[in-house]
Amino acid sequence: MSESDPNFCVTSAIRYDPSLLFSASPSSVGPEQFATCKADLDPRLFFLFPRHVSRLNAAHEYFWPDISKAKGQVVTPEALLTALYLAVGEPDKCWRLRPSVSKAGHIKVEANEVPPRTDLFSGLRDDTKPETSWVVYLDSERTPQTSITMFKTSNRDPYNAARERVLPPGFPLSARVEVLLFNEKDQVTEGSLTNVAFWRNGEWITPTSNVMGGLRGSVKAELLDRGLLREMKDDEALLRDSIQQGEKVLLLNGIQGVTCGYVRLGPYRD
């Protein structure tokens, strides 16, 4: 899907999670509590909500600057929250919400139930183990960096292609398997589903989106602002040949939060 396609949209992926607000007993969130939050347009049930508002507006402004300039803030917090609340199913479940914003600024949201997570930053812990984490493979080809790899959009072609090269046909997106992408210089940019970070010289470092490539993700931005990781300098770019078998990789996205995976070199295997 090209940018000129009338169905082209900018998107994000937002986690609805009752434990973000009702940590004592998220499974008992009832219709009345949910209705109160909905009436108040409470953003706290949506993981890193303000960052998604900023992300969607930045992407819209990039692709359609004239419209964004004329309208100002195309995606308002109120409009996005209203659309998200309408899309939530059972309020005591966790949901993956995918808002799509059209050129005209219309918001449509797709919803899919996802498993609960007790700690959305668990990947940062020191007690992670390969047998309970994601498996991370290396893409066999390079992915050119374009506007589609800078901003999250309805065009998933580069990411689908990477997964199709490495994984078996019909491989489920729900499986805990990631594929690392590389730019034209063979530098790590991101995963097919996540932003990534690597442990180097005593700290977590992540590819610089506007130099090396990769989506400008909400969780990545959050960790950068918290000082829990930093962007790579030009001379710190990680080349394909520097990635080691079994090394830990932080995997960051708006649904899983911070998880981790361990590199498995070579072709896919069960």
Side-chain angles (χ1 to χ4, degrees):
M1 180 184 295
S2 68
E3 299 167 30
S4 60
D5 190 304
N7 294 318
F8 178 83
C9 296
V10 297
T11 70
S12 197
I14 305 176
R15 183 184 183 91
Y16 167 87
D17 194 327
S19 69
L20 294 170
L21 185 56
F22 304 101
S23 56
S25 183
S27 62
S28 63
V29 176
E32 292 184 4
Q33 291 171 303
F34 181 76
T36 299
C37 292
K38 182 178 179 180
D40 294 341
L41 291 182
D42 194 327
R44 293 175 294 172
L45 288 168
F46 304 97
F47 185 48
L48 301 180
F49 174 78
R51 295 199 179 275
H52 293 284
V53 176
S54 299
R55 181 189 199 187
L56 287 166
N57 279 301
H60 195 282
E61 183 177 3
Y62 179 88
F63 290 107
W64 303 294
D66 292 342
I67 294 177
S68 290
K69 184 177 180 180
K71 286 190 172 183
Q73 190 180 38
V74 172
V75 181
T76 65
E78 295 78 12
L80 182 57
L81 280 169
T82 298
L84 294 176
Y85 269 111
L86 288 173
V88 171
E90 297 176 64
D92 59 342
K93 308 291 186 183
C94 297
W95 295 90
R96 178 189 187 275
L97 304 174
R98 182 179 180 270
S100 298
V101 183
S102 69
K103 180 178 180 179
H106 301 305
I107 303 173
K108 182 173 69 173
V109 182
E110 297 176 11
N112 298 98
E113 187 179 344
V114 294
R117 276 175 52 75
T118 57
D119 181 2
L120 288 172
F121 295 92
S122 62
L124 292 165
R125 299 201 307 251
D126 294 330
D127 60 351
T128 59
K129 298 178 181 179
E131 56 268 25
T132 56
S133 302
W134 289 51
V135 178
V136 180
Y137 289 98
L138 277 57
D139 192 4
S140 56
E141 296 181 15
R142 298 171 179 175
T143 298
Q145 296 305 291
T146 68
S147 57
I148 299 303
T149 58
M150 289 172 55
F151 298 99
K152 192 174 183 69
T153 74
S154 52
N155 185 345
R156 294 287 302 168
D157 291 351
Y159 305 101
N160 294 337
R163 294 183 71 83
E164 288 169 3
R165 284 191 289 268
V166 176
L167 304 175
F171 197 84
L173 288 173
S174 58
R176 294 190 299 174
V177 176
E178 180 59 298
V179 177
L180 278 183
L181 276 61
F182 301 85
N183 63 19
E184 300 92 329
K185 297 180 181 179
D186 234 18
Q187 299 169 333
V188 175
T189 58
E190 60 184 329
S192 64
L193 304 172
T194 63
N195 285 133
V196 297
F198 291 80
W199 186 257
R200 293 291 186 275
N201 300 316
E203 60 182 339
W204 290 106
I205 58 175
T206 186
T208 306
S209 296
N210 61 356
V211 176
M212 298 157 197
L215 295 179
R216 302 171 182 185
S218 56
V219 178
K220 177 176 177 175
E222 180 74 10
L223 296 189
L224 286 169
D225 283 354
R226 291 192 189 188
L228 296 173
L229 57 83
R230 69 170 176 82
E231 291 188 306
M232 299 173 184
K233 300 175 183 176
D234 290 351
D235 60 356
E236 293 177 317
L238 297 182
L239 299 177
R240 180 192 305 271
D241 292 344
S242 71
I243 307 302
Q244 301 296 310
Q245 169 72 19
E247 74 169 297
K248 181 178 176 177
V249 185
L250 288 189
L251 306 175
L252 323 170
N253 73 21
I255 304 303
Q256 297 297 325
V258 185
T259 56
C260 72
Y262 290 82
V263 172
R264 182 179 292 176
L265 299 178
Y268 171 80
R269 58 190 186 276
D270 290 329

